Structures are given as structure tokens and as C-alpha cells.
Amino acid sequence: MTWARELVENNAVETKRYTMAELYELRRLLIRHSRSMPPGPVRNEHRQIAASMRSLACDKKWLAAHAVDGHK
């Protein structure tokens, strides 16, 4: 795991930054996909991921690190 530590220390690992529109669209697609599934654990997992994305969209620190245009 020393290669991973070297990447982090050298800032070689880049975090993809999204626009707010991309984040909203991704969440919308997750919800839409989960609704097309029959009730069960897989559907619930997708719905929980979408809910997590919603809570992240309210977190200013997370948005500062992952969103291009910040919180709107």
C-alpha cells in the first residue's frame, strides 16, 4: 500500500468535481431506476443511496470538495 500513500502525498489522486446539475441528475436517475425494481433489498439499497446523495447536497464541506459551482 505504499504506492497509495505516495499518490496521496504527491496529490496525484484527483477527486472528480461535479456540477450541481450533474449531481441532481444522478440522484434523479437513481430514484427512477429504483422505482423500476420490484420491492426488496436491492430497491431499498438504491433508494438509500439516493437519500444519501440528497443529504450530501446539503453538506457545504462536501460540496466544496466535490462540486464545481458549490451549493445553490
Side-chain angles (χ1 to χ4, degrees), residues 53-67 70-71:
M53 289 184 66
R54 181 179 186 183
S55 66
L56 286 174
C58 296
D59 183 1
K60 291 182 181 181
K61 282 185 177 180
W62 188 88
L63 283 175
H66 295 90
H71 188 265

Side-chain angles (χ1 to χ4, degrees), residues 28 50 64:
R28 187 188 70 77

Side-chain angles (χ1 to χ4, degrees), residues 1-39:
M1 282 262 179
T2 58
W3 60 271
R5 185 174 296 130
E6 289 175 14
L7 286 175
V8 172
E9 289 172 358
N10 296 331
N11 275 340
V13 177
E14 292 186 21
T15 302
K16 180 168 175 23
R17 295 176 61 90
Y18 300 91
T19 63
M20 290 303 291
E22 288 174 327
L23 292 172
Y24 290 136
E25 180 68 11
L26 182 58
R27 181 173 177 267
R28 187 188 70 77
L29 289 173
L30 276 169
I31 292 170
R32 190 171 178 185
H33 179 68
S34 69
R35 287 179 181 162
S36 70
M37 297 178 167

